[in-house]
Amino acid sequence: MLRMRLLVVLTLAALVAAPAAAQTEIVWWHAMGGALGEKVNEIAAGFNESQDEYVVTPVYRGSYAETMTGAIAAFRAGEQPHIVQVFEVGTATMMAAEGGIYPVHELMGKYAEGWNPDAYLPAVISYYVSDEGNLLSLPFNSSTPVLWYNQDALDELGLEVPTTWEELEAAANTAVENGWECGMTSAWQTWIQLENFSAWHDLPFATLNNGYGGLGTEMAIDNEGVINHIAQLQRMTENNAFVYPGRESAGEPMFLNQECVFFFNSSAGYGAINTGADFEFGQTMMPVDTRIREEPQNSIIGGATLWVLQGHEEEEYRGVARFFEYLSTPEVQADWHQFTGYVPITLAAYELSQEQGFYEENPGTDTAIKQLTLNEPTPNSRGIRLGNFVQIRTVMDEELEAVWSGQKTPEEAINAIVQRGNELLRQFERANR
């Protein structure tokens, strides 16, 4: 009798375990912590529940840089995930990893019947296509910088939302003169105040179409427009009209704590500001420097994409393609966009958000899309593709900080960025010829 009962238990256990064992696992390394990480888990769970052939396992691997370098090391050890999230500055590095990546256009063309690359917003995918226009990685969390403002403060000070840098400086001065600790601060100073400032004003950031034209590209930001912009910011630091908060997103608490009236940050800051601000706020397009041009060009994206790594079985890649199809559906994209502030990657998701009334209920949340699609991108505003871009951003941070601390003039710092940046570009060129 005991043997019979044991047999029944084992049989039932086998039956219960059978469906799970039949599923093919897809491992997804990402860099989304906190609430964003929970949302990533929710997306994966939604896909897993939508079908019973594949199971996506998201794994948080730390910062963007840690996730990318970890994936490269794992690939060399033969332990790479199927999907890895890589920030935009790692694009050239991933492209140089020939034999290591599975281009998305090839993957989807083979395993996703009816896949339409034209469904994706050109302004979003243009950063991640080959010279032939083929999509190399799948955009996931794409954003662009916008200008956030404290509406209560503007009402109190009698100020309008600025549209030019001249107006912004005047408004920031007014705020400080009326007792505010700072007029304006900025997160991600290199991405916003150098890279996007250049694209917004159709100024070259690097030669050879900002690096899209080949490994021989050189830094090109030593122009009058950029130098004058940094000089204006330096002038604004003298009375705290501009306060440098530190690298990356260090300025966010200064805005939420109502120390600063204006805050340059990613459109993806919406979630944190929406939940953390105890005041009326808004977002608007970045101001234009009318000394350079009367109207802005278009902004460029930041964030990260999903790269597929080589070395797995065919059935596993079929599962990756199924997951990417799910991830690109209007419902999933609209939900991700509305929760995070990242831009939707497809036109259908944008239209669905419109139909759902999201933009009417949350004015300004379509600012990022409007900026990205403001004009047909030029070679200066399509994006930036540089080798060793992570290290170049560190150089830019160091040189700008030398300006804010009074150690260098704007022109000296910009010239140093060009010199040190070019040295890093030549290193990358020699390593990837």
Side-chain angles (χ1 to χ4, degrees), residues 40-244:
V40 164
N41 292 337
E42 182 183 316
I43 291 172
F47 172 73
N48 295 341
E49 293 170 2
S50 71
Q51 45 75 52
D52 57 10
E53 297 177 73
Y54 308 99
V55 57
V56 168
T57 303
V59 181
Y60 174 65
R61 298 290 297 188
S63 68
Y64 281 137
E66 291 168 342
T67 302
M68 184 177 78
T69 54
I72 293 172
F75 185 84
R76 290 169 178 160
E79 299 174 348
Q80 68 275 24
H82 301 83
I83 305 168
V84 60
Q85 182 187 22
V86 176
F87 54 174
E88 85 281 8
V89 294
T91 301
T93 298
M94 297 301 290
M95 288 180 65
E98 292 184 10
I101 64 166
Y102 197 147
V104 162
H105 73 95
E106 291 182 14
L107 175 94
M108 301 302 281
K110 184 174 182 180
Y111 297 110
E113 187 175 346
W115 181 65
N116 178 18
D118 294 333
Y120 299 88
L121 288 172
V124 174
I125 65 173
S126 62
Y127 208 109
Y128 306 107
V129 298
S130 66
D131 292 340
E132 296 75 30
N134 295 317
L135 190 60
L136 300 173
S137 57
L138 186 74
F140 175 56
N141 54 311
S142 297
S143 62
T144 199
V146 297
L147 179 63
W148 297 89
Y149 56 88
N150 183 323
Q151 183 61 61
D152 288 347
L154 296 191
D155 293 342
E156 176 187 317
L157 296 167
L159 296 172
E160 300 291 330
V161 176
T163 61
T164 68
W165 269 97
E166 183 180 15
E167 292 174 355
L168 175 59
E169 181 176 4
N173 284 336
T174 298
V176 172
E177 290 164 1
N178 283 274
W180 282 75
E181 294 181 38
C182 97
M184 179 272 286
T185 189
S186 177
W188 302 96
Q189 62 172 351
T190 61
W191 178 53
I192 296 175
Q193 304 302 340
L194 290 178
E195 297 163 30
N196 263 283
F197 180 86
S198 296
W200 196 235
H201 295 88
D202 200 20
L203 296 172
F205 189 84
T207 61
L208 299 179
N209 297 338
N210 278 355
Y212 280 68
L215 296 175
T217 183
E218 296 183 344
M219 302 292 292
I221 62 170
D222 51 342
N223 57 70
E224 186 179 28
V226 171
I227 292 173
N228 286 341
H229 177 56
I230 300 305
Q232 181 177 19
L233 289 174
Q234 182 191 40
R235 181 174 66 242
M236 292 173 68
T237 64
E238 295 174 357
N239 66 341
N240 287 344
F242 165 54
V243 174
Y244 173 60

Side-chain angles (χ1 to χ4, degrees), residues 28 30 34-50 56 58 140 323 326-327 331-332 335-336 339:
W28 172 17
H30 66 85
L36 291 177
E38 294 176 8
K39 195 65 177 177
V40 164
N41 292 337
E42 182 183 316
I43 291 172
F47 172 73
N48 295 341
E49 293 170 2
S50 71
V56 168
F140 175 56
F323 178 57
Y326 175 83
L327 202 55
E331 293 76 15
V332 173
D335 179 61
W336 173 248
F339 178 80

Side-chain angles (χ1 to χ4, degrees), residues 340-351:
T340 62
Y342 287 117
V343 298
I345 63 173
T346 64
L347 179 60
Y350 176 52
E351 292 174 341

